[in-house]
Amino acid sequence: MRRLHFTGALVSAAALLGCGTDLGLGAGAKHGHAVALGRLAVATKLNLPLNDRGVLIGTNLESRSEENVGSRWSTGIMLGYGDGPSQFVGRRWGYEIYAEAGVPLRTTYRGFDDAYVGVGGSLPLSLTGSRAVTDLNRSTWLLKRSIELVPFGHARGYFGDDESNGWNRMEYAGGLAFRFRVMSDIL
Amino acid sequence: MTMWRWLSAILAMLGIGLTGCGEQLQQQKVLVLPVRNMGDTFLAGTALADITPPLHLALFGHGPEGRVAAGVRSRLRCQVFLLASKGELVALVPCDLQSPSFAIKFEVAKRMKQLGIPLTADRIFLMATHTHGAPAHYFDAHHYSGPFSSPIPGYDPAVTALIANGVADALVDAFGTLDRVCLGFSVSQLPGLTFNRAYTAFLRNDRGGAPTLSREQLELLKRARDADSRSAGQPGAGDRIPAQLELSGPEVAVDSQLTVLRIDRQTAAGQCTANEPPVGVLAVYGMHPTGAPNTNDLYHGDIFGFATRTASTCLRGAIPAPGRDEGSTELSLDEDGQAPCNAFDGPAQPSPGYQPRLTSNGPVLVGLANGVEGDVSPNVHNQSMPAARQMGRRLGIEIARAAARIEVMSPTGRLGHFYRELDFRSGRYDANGNQLCKVGDLGMASAGGAHDGPTRVRIIPAANPGFRLNEPSGCHTFKMPLRFLNSPSPYAFPTVGPIALVRLLLTTDGTVTDGLWFGTIPAEVTTMTGFGIRGALGRLAASGPTHGLDKNLALVGLTNQYFQYVATAPEYEFQLYEGASTLYGPHSAEFLAYQFECLARDINDPGQQHCKGTSPINAVWGEVPHPPEAVQRMPPDEEAAPLILQHLDWRRNHRGGALGWEIEFESLPLAFSKDRALFRMQLLAGDTDREVLDDDRGSSFELHEFVRDEQTLWRVRWIPYLGPDKNPICNRRVRIAVDGRYHFESKPFSVNCDPRAPEAEATP
């Protein structure tokens, strides 16, 4: 049990330290309808140290408005890979690619029953100046933050009960988000 | 043209092409150069490799608590000692590294093969000094390049290449300058410089149920307990270096053997007259060279780096000992005179004002390999660079004295190497076939660091020394593994590593007169593990093949591979840092002793393999490294325009506990620190003179990068040793200079050695 507790604590710490929170807006088209969305996403890259690259896991919450359909909230999870941007001397931009899946939250549901799977990607661009790697010598306990501009896009297929009862509603959307990323110099 | 003609033309062209390829293949055939076989005459070659890397690599040794290198306190070096006799050839190479890696050894052996130098993998002994001021990023074992290994982990093949090529180049130099030499050695005790940092665990080695102890182990335990009953001093406090031999229990509970091998030139007549300083000295002493704290952010050789420089300076002025017997090779360091031991140790010049009485052919190459040091810490008042320097100077002077005292050297003898690769996974540790754990694992208690290097992870209770499972679990018993719920990858830790015995027999008219042995171990062994190996080998010493194995055995740890620590079974149960870092379970110490015993039996009785499952002596298994995914840690080489800044302001102040003089300037390209042709620090004489009094090959110069007002600057600091005796450099007029791609100098200043004088700086 001690081992489980310790491991759980360590994994959680690793996940949180390197975590980024995105807040953004996007637009696209779904099955002939225009879509506007607001997005809140939280993701981290699981690869100590520095979490600059590695397996990406995350979750998102979207507020969606679909032309002639209605508006709703949906939530999803992401799983993929990301690399960069580097905190230190290196690329100031990165890339992420992930598979995602989600379901609607039915509070403002109106109309169809949609779940989705899809692929997405983003190109985060660091807006924070790069750090000298020797900063690590002085910054031993404090969390560090960086701000990134994140263009994103996705292609999703929606399925479930609807008029056509089919699996043929594709959505293509893109947008821009600001990311607040937390890093630690401890790990 | 008909089809057949086309075909013929094509075939003809192919034939010409293949012939060309064949010629090329023939040209690529490696020419193996033999070692000159001069009978029993000893040959030796020595060389120095500078392996200082660029700035901004992680320092390895303190895990995540370590720092990123922001400067250089003493350049990192390897000393190559190539010994040959009757066609036998071995290379003993102590290096300023925290530990060796298989990746480096593999690259060095590969280069030797490409160049046709007969130094196969079984003949190369890379011995790390264990300084914690050397870079990371060269380990093929994934765990040593992974998270928690250093502040910016990762494997960079460019770092491996830098170190391996430096060593290989030096081996080539040494091989090309093999010459006739005299060899002599001394084995003595040097107590008081160290103490046992895991004393509680040490004392439990004779608890009920523990493996049977050797006579040597029992004697050591008794001496330590006797010392405890006599001395009221705090064990291992490091608050005092005993003036007399009133050592406390922890100070007794170490292997304090100092082994010194001295290499002198033979005369033209093939005699050993010792009328000049030695060519080289290789010493072995067991100590964690952790004089500097883990907050250090400079490359440095720590205590051993200071020791080798001091010993080299001391020996440079060595003269025949007055009144020595005829045929004796005893030297004098002239310590009653204005001895070079007490001056600054810049290799550019002997101390100003000291006139050597004999011609010196240059600095004496001194190498210092680490002995039994797993649980052995230096007896310093507090960890700091001045404390490391003071301890290093003391050790260096003792090494020089021991080398000077050697009275008997021989121009003839026999060299032998007996190398055996071991697979630690399920390795047999006794004749009954009992085995080590199948998988290596590191314990949680190691995450918190050792006594002389605690880490921030100690805020987690499990990461403190002594934390262990309530009940033994599996092969690793009380160890709580440091990993995430998964099995370690097969490449997480080293699995294969060699032990070896290198034998040096001195002969006179073909008769063996004495013998010295080096026993190399790919790990850091605790004191009792070391004595267990001594006991196992001592029982098998016999005249002939194993002459001297009981009396003159230098155990050298951290050689050729790095299995971290090896604690005895009782020590392992405590799960202190050493036990938690014993990768293959509680019987690892018994495994090493048993395997050394098997090796010695095979030496005594060649042609027989006395232990099941062992491989033939000197067989190399052909393993290749499997490093993790490469990352770039090495900064790129940069070109920069020449720049001359004259007459920088200097400042005299105390920094880090030492008096020094410094200049500051805008930072230069990071890669400059690896190449003295591009960047070197010097002390020049007078106001305009070009005479170099001191430089960064000694221990008095420091480079440090820092940020002020968002600008990155470099500081060059000259920190002369100002010991109890008057340093001839005092009151001289000098300038600090940087040379290489750039040249700039400070304004001249007089060296005011009075530590009580107020701080000063250059007047405008």
Side-chain angles (χ1 to χ4, degrees):
Chain A
M1 190 53 75
R2 265 177 171 175
R3 199 182 306 193
L4 272 174
H5 285 167
F6 170 73
T7 305
L10 205 57
V11 169
S12 306
L16 290 170
L17 300 171
C19 185
T21 305
D22 295 6
L23 190 63
L25 298 169
K30 174 187 169 189
H31 195 53
H33 305 289
V35 172
L37 56 96
R39 176 183 164 91
L40 173 70
V42 177
T44 189
K45 292 185 276 267
L46 291 182
N47 183 32
L48 294 175
L50 308 179
N51 286 2
D52 278 353
R53 64 177 170 176
V55 170
L56 181 145
I57 59 168
T59 181
N60 66 65
L61 179 70
E62 285 181 357
S63 164
R64 303 169 53 80
S65 179
E66 297 182 22
E67 183 192 13
N68 297 332
V69 174
S71 59
R72 65 159 182 248
W73 295 83
S74 67
T75 186
I77 56 171
M78 297 112 64
L79 179 66
Y81 180 83
D83 183 358
S86 173
Q87 286 185 66
F88 302 105
V89 174
R91 266 199 337 256
R92 305 306 297 147
W93 58 272
Y95 67 87
E96 290 158 358
I97 184 161
Y98 50 85
E100 55 175 356
V103 292
L105 295 173
R106 297 174 188 274
T107 312
T108 55
Y109 171 66
R110 180 185 157 196
F112 309 104
D113 189 15
D114 286 325
Y116 68 85
V117 294
V119 293
S122 58
L123 292 172
L125 177 68
S126 177
L127 300 178
T128 307
S130 65
R131 301 166 63 195
V133 71
T134 46
D135 269 1
L136 288 171
N137 294 341
R138 287 176 288 278
S139 175
T140 53
W141 285 100
L142 300 176
L143 291 177
K144 289 291 194 183
R145 64 179 190 282
S146 75
I147 308 292
E148 295 167 7
L149 186 67
V150 186
F152 65 89
H154 64 242
R156 293 174 181 169
Y158 284 79
F159 58 95
D161 292 334
D162 70 347
E163 291 166 353
S164 65
N165 202 27
W167 161 223
N168 61 352
R169 291 166 289 140
M170 293 298 298
E171 174 182 290
Y172 303 97
L176 202 60
F178 280 99
R179 174 176 291 171
F180 177 84
R181 196 162 145 224
V182 173
M183 293 98 51
S184 169
D185 293 340
I186 300 175
L187 297 173
Chain B
M1 212 169 167
T2 64
M3 187 186 72
W4 287 117
R5 280 188 182 176
W6 275 114
L7 201 57
S8 303
I10 290 168
L11 282 171
M13 280 192 292
L14 272 174
I16 292 167
L18 281 171
T19 309
C21 283
E23 275 188 29
Q24 271 192 319
L25 282 169
Q26 278 188 332
Q27 282 164 5
Q28 285 170 5
K29 187 177 172 184
V30 170
L31 194 64
V32 177
L33 303 174
V35 177
R36 272 184 291 161
N37 187 343
M38 297 181 65
D40 276 3
T41 299
F42 281 128
L43 304 175
T46 58
L48 183 70
D50 188 322
I51 55 168
T52 312
L55 304 186
H56 288 196
L57 301 184
L59 297 173
F60 188 76
H62 290 296
E65 199 57 55
R67 300 299 191 256
V68 174
V72 182
R73 179 62 186 86
S74 62
R75 297 192 71 82
L76 305 176
R77 313 178 305 177
C78 298
Q79 296 89 9
V80 166
F81 296 88
L82 207 53
L83 304 175
S85 169
K86 225 174 182 177
E88 170 71 280
L89 181 69
V90 294
L92 306 176
V93 187
C95 276
D96 286 331
L97 293 170
Q98 195 268 4
S99 46
S101 77
F102 178 50
I104 291 180
K105 169 88 184 282
F106 182 84
E107 289 302 316
V108 171
K110 194 167 86 173
R111 260 294 286 278
M112 294 299 104
K113 189 174 176 187
Q114 285 167 349
L115 294 170
I117 292 176
L119 274 170
T120 45
D122 55 302
R123 298 172 185 277
I124 302 170
F125 297 92
L126 283 180
M127 305 164 164
T129 62
H130 203 45
T131 174
H132 289 43
H137 316 305
Y138 60 87
F139 293 96
D140 50 296
H142 291 209
H143 195 88
Y144 302 163
S145 292
F148 298 109
S149 66
S150 64
I152 44 165
Y155 174 79
D156 188 344
V159 178
T160 306
L162 177 86
I163 299 168
N165 288 337
V167 173
D169 288 347
L171 283 170
V172 170
D173 282 348
F175 186 76
T177 54
L178 279 170
D179 203 356
R180 295 174 308 154
V181 295
C182 299
L183 298 182
F185 65 88
S186 85
V187 176
S188 57
Q189 296 295 320
L190 183 60
L193 300 192
T194 56
F195 68 96
N196 193 312
R197 71 185 188 192
Y199 189 55
T200 313
F202 166 87
L203 284 176
R204 289 288 288 155
N205 269 286
D206 58 355
R207 63 147 174 75
T212 307
L213 298 178
S214 68
R215 178 180 55 84
E216 292 82 358
Q217 289 173 309
L218 287 168
E219 272 175 18
L220 184 67
L221 271 169
K222 182 177 182 310
R223 277 174 40 224
R225 290 193 172 112
D226 286 348
D228 276 344
S229 61
R230 278 196 312 269
S231 164
Q234 287 296 315
D239 289 336
R240 60 187 175 88
I241 297 177
Q244 298 168 12
L245 288 181
E246 288 178 359
L247 302 173
S248 65
E251 288 164 332
V252 168
V254 296
D255 184 345
S256 56
Q257 180 174 301
L258 172 65
T259 307
V260 172
L261 172 68
R262 185 172 123 198
I263 304 171
D264 282 10
R265 273 192 190 77
Q266 280 186 25
T267 64
Q271 291 178 326
C272 307
T273 54
N275 284 331
E276 58 181 21
V279 169
V281 166
L282 172 62
V284 181
Y285 189 69
M287 173 199 282
H288 257 81
T290 42
N294 59 10
T295 49
N296 160 75
D297 61 355
L298 307 174
Y299 293 129
H300 65 95
D302 213 307
I303 293 170
F304 279 27
F306 290 120
T308 52
R309 287 166 170 85
T310 300
S312 177
T313 304
C314 288
L315 286 165
R316 186 166 54 202
I319 56 173
R324 70 182 185 187
D325 294 337
E326 189 177 335
S328 167
T329 55
E330 189 182 356
L331 296 171
S332 166
L333 301 180
D334 195 25
E335 291 184 70
D336 292 332
Q338 202 165 356
C341 278
N342 287 325
F344 60 92
D345 51 16
Q349 295 279 342
S351 58
Y354 180 80
Q355 298 301 322
R357 294 177 204 181
L358 296 168
T359 302
S360 168
N361 289 318
V364 177
L365 187 75
V366 177
L368 179 52
N370 216 326
V372 174
E373 50 78 56
D375 50 0
V376 179
S377 283
N379 223 338
V380 293
H381 294 272
N382 60 286
Q383 282 180 304
S384 65
M385 204 56 81
R389 188 180 202 179
Q390 185 176 16
M391 177 62 81
R393 285 191 60 84
R394 183 166 173 194
L395 178 56
I397 288 170
E398 294 298 335
I399 290 170
R401 285 178 179 158
R405 277 196 299 264
I406 294 172
E407 295 180 337
V408 176
M409 300 185 71
S410 176
T412 57
R414 290 172 221 149
L415 189 63
H417 80 286
F418 309 95
Y419 169 102
R420 174 165 283 157
E421 298 201 341
L422 304 176
D423 189 335
F424 277 59
R425 294 166 293 190
S426 305
R428 288 169 188 260
Y429 64 82
D430 62 25
N432 298 325
N434 289 307
Q435 293 177 330
L436 297 182
C437 301
K438 286 199 184 82
V439 172
D441 236 339
L442 198 58
M444 258 311 298
S446 68
H451 161 92
D452 31 11
T455 75
R456 65 196 68 177
V457 189
R458 286 194 180 195
I459 59 167
I460 304 169
N464 281 273
F467 186 92
R468 55 180 229 164
L469 296 174
N470 292 333
E471 296 295 330
S473 169
C475 182
H476 290 281
T477 65
F478 294 102
K479 181 191 285 177
M480 178 169 156
L482 173 63
R483 51 184 162 88
F484 301 145
L485 280 183
N486 57 325
S487 299
S489 96
Y491 303 122
F493 296 108
T495 53
V496 172
I499 60 171
L501 287 167
V502 177
R503 178 184 66 193
L504 203 66
L505 295 177
L506 306 188
T507 60
T508 302
D509 298 325
T511 303
V512 173
T513 52
D514 214 341
L516 172 66
W517 294 79
F518 294 97
T520 69
I521 307 164
E524 304 179 66
V525 297
T526 61
T527 302
M528 285 300 259
T529 301
F531 272 81
I533 295 171
R534 284 190 186 286
L537 290 174
R539 286 193 292 274
L540 294 168
S543 61
T546 49
H547 181 101
L549 193 55
D550 51 344
K551 294 188 319 251
N552 301 326
L553 170 65
L555 289 177
V556 184
L558 296 148
T559 302
N560 282 340
Q561 188 45 295
Y562 184 45
F563 283 89
Q564 303 215 36
Y565 288 73
V566 177
T568 62
E571 291 168 352
Y572 181 96
E573 277 182 23
F574 274 82
Q575 284 297 294
L576 299 182
Y577 182 78
E578 296 77 16
S581 307
T582 299
L583 295 178
Y584 285 91
H587 300 288
S588 302
E590 295 155 76
F591 167 74
L592 279 181
Y594 175 68
Q595 293 294 334
F596 267 107
E597 185 181 326
C598 293
L599 184 60
R601 285 189 192 283
D602 290 350
I603 294 170
N604 270 333
D605 192 9
Q608 299 283 330
Q609 258 174 275
H610 291 85
C611 300
K612 229 173 156 182
T614 53
S615 65
I617 290 179
N618 295 340
V620 177
W621 289 352
E623 297 273 326
V624 293
H626 297 277
E629 188 186 342
V631 298
Q632 186 184 349
R633 292 285 178 252
M634 187 87 96
D637 288 333
E638 291 179 52
E639 292 293 323
L643 172 68
I644 298 176
L645 297 173
Q646 290 288 3
H647 306 304
L648 293 175
D649 288 336
W650 54 266
R651 194 183 304 124
R652 174 185 178 279
N653 57 15
H654 288 81
R655 195 185 287 278
L659 174 65
W661 287 257
E662 60 189 37
I663 58 173
E664 295 174 359
F665 45 89
E666 207 174 303
S667 67
L668 301 179
L670 298 172
F672 274 28
S673 69
K674 76 175 179 186
D675 189 349
R676 290 190 77 248
L678 295 175
F679 179 84
R680 52 186 179 272
M681 300 175 280
Q682 297 173 327
L683 189 76
L684 301 180
D687 286 27
T688 53
D689 204 341
R690 292 295 291 170
E691 181 191 3
V692 178
L693 298 174
D694 197 357
D695 65 33
D696 54 356
R697 288 172 295 174
S699 60
S700 300
F701 271 98
E702 176 185 291
L703 168 68
H704 207 158
E705 181 182 271
F706 65 101
V707 176
R708 181 191 291 142
D709 299 331
E710 296 188 355
Q711 189 187 15
T712 304
L713 301 171
W714 278 14
R715 175 190 302 127
V716 166
R717 188 170 169 78
W718 178 61
I719 316 163
Y721 178 71
L722 301 173
D725 297 311
K726 188 173 181 306
N727 191 324
I729 200 66
C730 294
N731 299 319
R732 278 197 71 156
R733 198 134 168 93
V734 298
R735 291 126 50 223
I736 296 172
V738 166
D739 211 347
R741 171 61 66 87
Y742 299 98
H743 176 84
F744 36 90
E745 303 175 3
S746 71
K747 293 175 183 169
F749 59 90
S750 291
V751 181
N752 181 353
C753 296
D754 183 357
R756 294 159 298 181
E759 297 189 352
E761 49 187 58
T763 50

